[in-house]
Amino acid sequence: MEKIILTGDRPTGRLHLGHYVGSLRRRVELQNSGEFDKIFIMIADAQALTDNADNPEKVRQNITQVALDYLSAGLDPSKCNIFIQSMVPELTEFTFYYMNLVTVQRVQRNPTVKQEIQMRGFRDDDDANKKGTPVGFFCYPISQAADITAFKATTVPVGEDQAPMIEQCREIVHKFNATYAPVLVVPEMLLPDSAACMRLPGTDGKAKMSKSLGNCIYLSDSAEEVWAKVKGMFTDPGHLQVSDPGKVEGNCVFTYLDAFCRPEHFEKFRSAFIGRKVSFEFNTLDEVKAQYRAGGLGDMMIKTFLNCILNDVLEPIRARRAELEKDIPAVWEILRKGTEVAQATAAQTLKEVKQAMRIDYFNDADLIAGK
Ligand code: TRP
């Protein structure tokens, strides 16, 4: 069986470090591993509209931004198809048929849907002062099953919050295959391999990076912006003096170090501490943590180290973005080509799906012959 990846993001803003460690970095590795036969990366504009119906302009503008983020992070259009969801209309057709295989009650139990309804303040009772949940938003898990199955994806690299979506997709596949014919593929999800990458907190220490909370470091932030944000990061509020013992758990700087620090960073960035009162003599993250816990390691030291690491990651991304920004029509050409391939692929699967459901009437010689 072919190995096929499908994943994507909603274009509601630029991509940030949470997207990067949660999925984007992994996608680039998988792309370069050569282990996959096909890779589809989707800009989920139709899904973004499910809770932005009154602001299509925001979604429209962010398609270009997300495409720039993808390409600058290392997605390579010669190895993967980057495409725009709404430009593959077959996806809405899959969604319409899958809706009949899922109950309202099942979607209501989806933990991510529940949480997102709450986060957006959609009313779940009769409070007339609040907006209700758009039906399209409520149905997005089903549309996401369409996205995955249309490409017969075997592998879906996503962040932890998407796990209930993949689970629901697997149920739809089983139901479809059992009801009609086994044409759909059951996808596996691929989660990040560490807790820090699974759910990178915002710079304020809040659960998740989110644009509305203003706690994000964007892939397109300048070195100055990154340093300002790192300096302002939440650490251990009880760690007042350098000599005080500090907490590593729940300390944002350490969570980010867990997600980004590699062994070679210690040697590489020792020079950043030259001229300071204390030098940076550590060789492993465990040593840094032990010293912080014991006391005697200041927040500015660990923030400086983190800043060096983040810029090491972001600098090549920034440089590629600056190049790509010079030719936006070329970026759109990449999207057009990727969308063409995606559309043809989805159309082929849709044909099989309709055949399995026996709703391909005009190809049905028996039906037409009156048998
Ligand atoms: N829900 C995903 C997000 O919010 C985007 C998405 C849409 C997606 N369809 C998908 C992810 C299919 C993986 C597979 O980022």
Side-chain angles (χ1 to χ4, degrees):
M1 194 168 71
E2 281 191 306
K3 290 179 76 179
I4 301 173
I5 289 178
L6 176 119
T7 186
D9 302 276
R10 295 179 198 175
T12 51
R14 295 177 175 215
L15 301 184
H16 51 59
L17 291 181
H19 295 112
Y20 186 73
V21 294
S23 172
L24 193 47
R25 178 167 69 182
R26 185 63 155 291
R27 289 179 209 171
V28 175
E29 286 164 13
L30 294 172
Q31 166 198 273
N32 295 333
S33 74
E35 276 178 36
F36 289 84
D37 300 291
K38 291 182 198 142
I39 302 177
F40 296 94
I41 309 289
M42 182 180 75
I43 301 182
D45 67 323
Q47 191 177 102
L49 286 168
T50 63
D51 66 330
N52 286 287
D54 54 353
N55 198 358
E57 188 54 27
K58 171 170 109 183
V59 174
R60 198 174 116 85
Q61 293 302 332
N62 280 307
I63 293 176
T64 310
Q65 293 307 324
V66 170
L68 284 166
D69 284 329
Y70 282 169
L71 296 167
S72 47
L75 287 178
D76 174 350
S78 73
K79 297 181 185 151
C80 66
N81 295 293
I82 304 175
F83 73 97
I84 303 176
Q85 185 181 31
S86 69
M87 301 305 281
V88 182
E90 284 80 0
L91 296 174
T92 57
E93 217 174 321
F94 284 101
T95 306
F96 199 65
Y97 299 127
Y98 294 171
M99 280 178 173
N100 305 326
L101 305 176
V102 182
T103 64
V104 170
Q105 290 73 15
R106 174 61 182 88
V107 180
Q108 274 168 340
R109 281 200 308 273
N110 183 311
T112 300
V113 172
K114 267 197 209 165
Q115 197 191 0
E116 291 189 330
I117 285 177
Q118 205 182 16
M119 261 170 52
R120 285 164 177 74
F122 293 145
R123 75 163 185 257
D124 54 4
D125 48 31
D126 290 330
D127 181 351
N129 297 319
K130 282 198 197 165
K131 271 199 210 167
T133 309
V135 173
F137 181 84
F138 183 74
C139 295
Y140 97 73
I142 305 169
S143 124
Q144 199 154 327
D147 303 335
I148 296 168
T149 55
F151 300 95
K152 300 196 174 173
T154 51
T155 311
V156 186
V158 283
E160 188 188 32
D161 61 322
Q162 296 296 303
M165 300 298 158
I166 315 303
E167 196 43 49
Q168 186 139 30
C169 175
R170 291 163 61 94
E171 284 175 31
I172 291 172
V173 170
H174 287 304
K175 188 81 193 265
F176 184 98
N177 287 349
T179 309
Y180 306 114
V183 298
L184 300 180
V185 174
V186 185
E188 300 292 335
M189 110 184 120
L190 199 57
L191 289 175
D193 38 31
S194 81
C197 295
M198 202 87 86
R199 201 161 262 267
L200 195 73
T203 52
D204 57 357
K206 295 257 165 59
K208 206 178 150 178
M209 272 200 186
S210 131
K211 203 174 63 155
S212 51
L213 296 173
N215 59 3
C216 305
I217 296 177
Y218 293 98
L219 296 182
S220 50
D221 277 349
S222 67
E224 294 71 35
E225 286 167 316
V226 172
W227 179 225
K229 290 178 184 183
V230 170
K231 264 195 294 196
M233 258 166 113
F234 180 84
T235 56
D236 168 10
H239 186 239
L240 298 174
Q241 311 263 357
V242 172
S243 53
D244 289 343
K247 275 205 203 79
V248 165
E249 286 70 31
N251 183 324
C252 251
V253 176
F254 281 102
T255 312
Y256 281 50
L257 286 171
D258 279 333
F260 287 98
C261 181
R262 292 195 311 269
E264 65 266 28
H265 288 146
F266 293 90
E267 209 41 59
K268 191 165 178 182
F269 299 124
R270 230 181 282 288
S271 59
F273 297 88
I274 291 171
R276 286 184 187 249
K277 270 184 262 153
V278 250
S279 57
F280 195 78
E281 295 301 337
F282 307 101
N283 290 303
T284 67
L285 199 47
D286 283 341
E287 288 173 19
V288 182
K289 288 180 182 172
Q291 178 77 72
Y292 193 82
R293 285 194 177 105
L297 181 57
D299 283 355
M300 274 312 267
M301 290 286 277
I302 54 168
K303 286 180 172 175
T304 300
F305 185 48
L306 175 63
N307 187 54
C308 290
I309 295 172
L310 291 183
N311 276 316
D312 195 50
V313 171
L314 292 175
E315 194 41 51
I317 298 180
R318 254 181 232 132
R320 276 194 293 265
R321 189 181 239 272
E323 275 309 302
L324 291 158
E325 279 173 345
K326 290 181 193 159
D327 193 357
I328 300 294
V331 173
W332 275 89
E333 189 54 24
I334 290 168
L335 294 179
R336 201 182 57 77
K337 288 204 178 114
T339 302
E340 259 169 37
V341 177
Q343 193 272 329
T345 310
Q348 173 56 36
T349 310
L350 184 61
K351 220 158 126 188
E352 293 167 33
V353 155
K354 290 177 115 177
Q355 224 163 30
M357 294 172 71
R358 307 211 58 197
I359 58 172
D360 58 332
Y361 309 117
F362 294 137
N363 297 321
D364 188 335
D366 282 353
L367 184 68
I368 293 167
K371 283 187 205 157

